[in-house]
Amino acid sequence: MAERSFKAEVEHLKLGAGETFTGEGILAITKALLESGVGYVGGYQGAPISHLMDVLADAEELLGELGVRFEANANEAAAAAMLAASVHYPIRGAVTFKGPVGVNVASDALANLSSSGVTGGAMVIVGEDYGEGSSIMQERSHPFAMKAQMWLLDPRPNLPSIVKMVSDGFDLSEASNTPVMLMVRIRSCHVTGSFTCRDNQRPKLTVKEALANPRSDFARVVLPPMSYAHEQDKVKNRWPAAEKFIVDRGLNEFFGPRDASFGIVVQGGMYNGVIRALQRLGLADIYGNTEVPLYVLNVTYPLISSQFLEFCAGKDHVLVVEEGQPEFIETQLGSYLYRAGSNVKLHGKGLFPMAGEYTGGVMLDAVEGFLRTAAPQMLPAAVRAPNMERPAIPDLSKTVPIRPPGFCTGCPERPIFAAMKLVEKELGKHQIAADIGCHLFASLPPFEIGGATMGYGLGPAANGAFDGGGDKRAVAIIGDGGFWHNGLSSSFTNMAFNKSDGVAIIVDNYYSAATGGQDLMSSRANNPTKATKNPIGKALNGIGINWVRQIDRTYDVAKMRDTIREALTTPEKGPKVIVASSECMLNKQRREKPLAQKAIKEGRRVEAPRFGVDEAICTGDHACIRLSGCPSLSLKKLDDPLRDDPVAAIDQSCVGCGNCGEVADAAVLCPSFYRADVVHNPGPWERRMAAFRARVIGWLQARRDARRLTFAPSAMEGAAE
């Protein structure tokens, strides 16, 4: 079950020549792949390209009609290895994953692919999420393209440019026998627009047809002496062929006047930001017509020295807009100018910050600063004034609290970490390594569990240095997505082989939840095209790990606490693994809410649990909030003048998971939590019972109120005496 269904949008992929496609960048890329005659596609989900995998999964019927093979790969390395089909066969293939972490995982396969070279077009679509919208370490895919010599495409963020670059990218790959990387940034993935379609193309050679006529060529094998020949081939043949194709096809673009004394060189993906800054300075219009010469690098590697020097001819100042660090492009362009003996002044980092995302404000300041030096006469008079300064933007971090990510309401991972906090109170703090996934949020308040993560599936491996024995056992936390991505082979095999005495907790929420809710090997759902329902415990037993405890309801905090305590204190040696399973609440709600609403509409009986806090019993200790952290748990100020402290309260976002009450019970906090079942479309007997209960409660309330009135006067008289 993916985060979003694209069944409706898939119909747009069937549009033919001359028809207009309207939609998101992700969908446009999928359509462009089909129009380019792709023979096979694969990849691994991850923002900002998760939806591309979801689109492909929903379009499997269409892909099958065209003879296109689709593979949802186990990880990025498996996806990159899939491109081996383009080495010997003239089949176009494309894979996609999040970058640069996906590139890091796939690096070995990509390096081998680049060394051997390709016969058919091979494209790696990298969802580049550098900057403030990123969920990963701040790196760029650019240096890997340079290291392995793969051509890097960075198209302008509009649908016609992106679609054209997919088609041109395949042609470039085949013309130079080199795989290409198509970098699409967050905004490119989600930008909306339209383009004129072409007909979808059946692959000239399908993988089925290739399988019937196998090929091999030992010259393509990456072994000495062939690998030495590959390096020479890159420099003597592939590189010149790529440069010629880039120039002849006009992949890089020029905008604005050609005879100005200054200009801007910009990565294709940053084009919109530059144009917007020029618009704000009155030097460009909404259609992109600019008074400032622009050299747009839709191909950021390789750089074409002749093209760049031609752009610089007659200019005194050139600004390089290169987001991220180090400044690979700026350094290379500076080298071209130096070797040519040019006197052009190159600007870049310095006007721009060395690191960080080039937001609208950053871009405007840098472009304006460049024009103050290179062409002050072009700036509006109000901006050109020497003492003119824009109002300073206040530092909101001083007044607005940080808003770190957190678990969803009702998340089944909360009780796991509540149980760990309870065990920590008994046994003391332990060394805890984390992994990639939703559970990493536990490193933040209120849990503050897990202090490091080394990569997807590497949580237990990160504790390798601590597995040699000690007073306390090291603990690792990993998700089911990480387990199947890389964890089984790298982390748990490592634990078994080295006879680790550590503890690993596998958070099994039935999906690759953090990437959008895609199915994986241990998912409980029926999937007609994928093998699901493979227990994690069975895989662990298969590599020799026998101390495995399966918990099928993580909301049972007491059981979670006792099992974790057992793992940390048992005298039994060897790896100890707890598989803590409960369905991702977000996916559960997506599945069950429409069914419940339909049942209610049809008049069928539906029961929904609701939880609350008895204000008369709550002491205001708030330990329930500290041990749960659920967003639906908040504070409420009472009207009672004798109670200054706010009490706990549950708001309408509650999904009825019961975690707050379970935590309160396991921690022996208080009995103030209660559960009330709301019944929609109750039966006749339930209606009669409800009416009877209402009369009894009403009678009791009336009697209580009467007693209050009876005793109130005497109490007042006593106070007066």
Side-chain angles (χ1 to χ4, degrees), residues 167-469:
S167 176
D168 287 342
F170 278 121
D171 290 342
L172 171 61
S173 177
E174 291 169 350
S176 60
N177 302 117
T178 303
V180 302
M181 297 173 67
L182 176 68
M183 189 170 81
V184 282
R185 301 159 188 260
I186 294 176
R187 291 174 180 84
S188 297
C189 289
H190 301 299
V191 68
T192 57
S194 60
F195 66 93
T196 303
C197 297
R198 297 180 295 155
D199 287 331
N200 294 333
Q201 299 294 319
R202 185 177 178 83
K204 294 179 180 178
L205 179 68
T206 67
V207 290
K208 185 177 181 179
E209 293 165 345
L211 195 59
N213 296 281
R215 300 182 184 183
S216 62
D217 181 0
F218 70 86
R220 296 281 191 181
V221 179
V222 186
L223 282 174
M226 289 79 76
S227 54
Y228 308 141
H230 296 165
E231 184 182 25
Q232 294 298 322
D233 186 43
K234 285 182 178 181
V235 175
K236 295 178 180 178
N237 300 310
R238 301 186 206 172
W239 198 321
E243 287 192 339
K244 183 177 186 305
F245 182 93
I246 292 166
V247 173
D248 292 347
R249 189 66 68 92
L251 299 191
N252 295 325
E253 299 174 285
F254 298 88
F255 298 96
R258 290 295 186 99
D259 56 355
S261 62
F262 61 96
I264 298 176
V265 179
V266 55
Q267 294 166 296
M270 300 304 300
Y271 168 82
N272 285 5
V274 170
I275 283 294
R276 177 58 181 153
L278 292 175
Q279 287 173 3
R280 294 177 67 181
L281 293 171
L283 300 176
D285 61 22
I286 60 173
Y287 303 104
N289 298 311
T290 170
E291 299 177 34
V292 176
L294 301 180
Y295 174 33
V296 180
L297 299 174
N298 293 312
V299 182
T300 52
Y301 185 79
L303 298 172
I304 312 300
S305 60
S306 59
Q307 212 173 48
F308 170 67
L309 292 173
E310 181 183 348
F311 175 75
C312 290
K315 292 181 173 55
D316 300 319
H317 299 273
V318 170
L319 174 67
V320 180
V321 181
E322 178 183 7
E323 187 178 54
Q325 54 84 29
E327 65 275 31
F328 301 110
I329 297 173
E330 183 181 342
T331 299
Q332 184 63 66
L333 296 181
S335 173
Y336 290 157
L337 291 174
Y338 176 79
R339 293 176 185 178
S342 173
N343 292 321
V344 172
K345 173 69 173 176
L346 200 65
H347 306 259
K349 302 299 184 184
L351 285 172
F352 283 103
M354 187 67 180
E357 185 176 355
Y358 288 176
T359 60
V362 170
M363 185 71 76
L364 179 61
D365 289 342
V367 171
E368 180 187 320
F370 169 69
L371 293 175
R372 284 182 183 277
T373 299
Q377 72 283 357
M378 295 193 68
L379 292 172
V383 176
R384 195 163 60 240
N387 297 323
M388 183 268 176
E389 289 187 7
R390 284 190 295 275
I393 298 175
D395 185 0
L396 297 180
S397 66
K398 306 297 184 187
T399 55
V400 179
I402 63 171
R403 188 184 176 192
F407 296 109
C408 301
T409 301
C411 176
E413 301 184 18
R414 289 182 184 279
I416 298 173
F417 299 107
M420 292 185 70
K421 292 292 284 187
L422 294 175
V423 173
E424 187 178 81
K425 185 178 180 181
E426 296 178 37
L427 304 180
K429 191 174 180 64
H430 284 68
Q431 158 59 29
I432 298 176
D435 204 277
I436 302 298
C438 297
H439 55 274
L440 190 55
F441 298 150
S443 62
L444 304 171
F447 302 113
E448 298 182 66
I449 291 175
T453 175
M454 290 293 104
Y456 206 17
L458 297 177
N463 267 346
F466 301 102
D467 280 342

Side-chain angles (χ1 to χ4, degrees), residues 1 10 83 117 233 237 247 307 338 380 424 479 514 522 526 549 567 584 595 612 667-668 701:
M1 176 184 180
V10 164
L83 291 172
D233 186 43
N237 300 310
V247 173
Q307 212 173 48
Y338 176 79
E424 187 178 81
S522 53
N526 293 316
R549 300 291 184 269
C584 167
L595 298 177
V668 196
Q701 289 175 334

Side-chain angles (χ1 to χ4, degrees), residues 29-276:
I29 292 172
T30 313
K31 174 61 174 164
L33 291 173
L34 299 180
E35 292 179 355
S36 300
V38 70
Y40 62 96
V41 288
Y44 190 84
Q45 61 273 356
I49 52 81
S50 289
H51 287 171
L52 181 52
M53 292 299 296
D54 297 337
V55 171
L56 293 169
D58 286 345
E60 278 199 79
E61 183 178 345
L62 173 60
L63 298 178
E65 292 172 1
L66 292 170
V68 180
R69 164 68 177 164
F70 169 63
E71 178 106 347
N73 302 106
N75 54 40
E76 296 87 350
M82 189 181 179
L83 291 172
S86 294
V87 173
H88 295 297
Y89 302 93
I91 308 174
R92 290 185 167 183
V95 298
T96 180
F97 38 71
K98 177 189 183 82
V101 289
V103 175
N104 294 342
V105 172
S107 59
D108 198 23
L110 292 177
N112 278 279
L113 179 74
S114 183
S115 182
S116 64
V118 295
T119 302
M123 178 175 292
V124 181
I125 302 168
V126 178
E128 192 84 347
D129 59 348
Y130 176 87
E132 294 175 9
S134 173
S135 61
I136 58 168
M137 80 294 286
Q138 295 297 275
E139 288 187 351
R140 299 168 61 190
S141 300
H142 193 105
F144 186 91
M146 297 171 63
K147 176 193 79 69
Q149 193 166 310
M150 297 177 64
W151 315 138
L152 182 60
L153 315 179
D154 187 4
R156 290 191 293 133
N158 63 72
L159 264 56
S161 294
I162 294 170
V163 169
K164 181 178 184 297
M165 196 55 63
V166 171
S167 176
D168 287 342
F170 278 121
D171 290 342
L172 171 61
S173 177
E174 291 169 350
S176 60
N177 302 117
T178 303
V180 302
M181 297 173 67
L182 176 68
M183 189 170 81
V184 282
R185 301 159 188 260
I186 294 176
R187 291 174 180 84
S188 297
C189 289
H190 301 299
V191 68
T192 57
S194 60
F195 66 93
T196 303
C197 297
R198 297 180 295 155
D199 287 331
N200 294 333
Q201 299 294 319
R202 185 177 178 83
K204 294 179 180 178
L205 179 68
T206 67
V207 290
K208 185 177 181 179
E209 293 165 345
L211 195 59
N213 296 281
R215 300 182 184 183
S216 62
D217 181 0
F218 70 86
R220 296 281 191 181
V221 179
V222 186
L223 282 174
M226 289 79 76
S227 54
Y228 308 141
H230 296 165
E231 184 182 25
Q232 294 298 322
D233 186 43
K234 285 182 178 181
V235 175
K236 295 178 180 178
N237 300 310
R238 301 186 206 172
W239 198 321
E243 287 192 339
K244 183 177 186 305
F245 182 93
I246 292 166
V247 173
D248 292 347
R249 189 66 68 92
L251 299 191
N252 295 325
E253 299 174 285
F254 298 88
F255 298 96
R258 290 295 186 99
D259 56 355
S261 62
F262 61 96
I264 298 176
V265 179
V266 55
Q267 294 166 296
M270 300 304 300
Y271 168 82
N272 285 5
V274 170
I275 283 294
R276 177 58 181 153

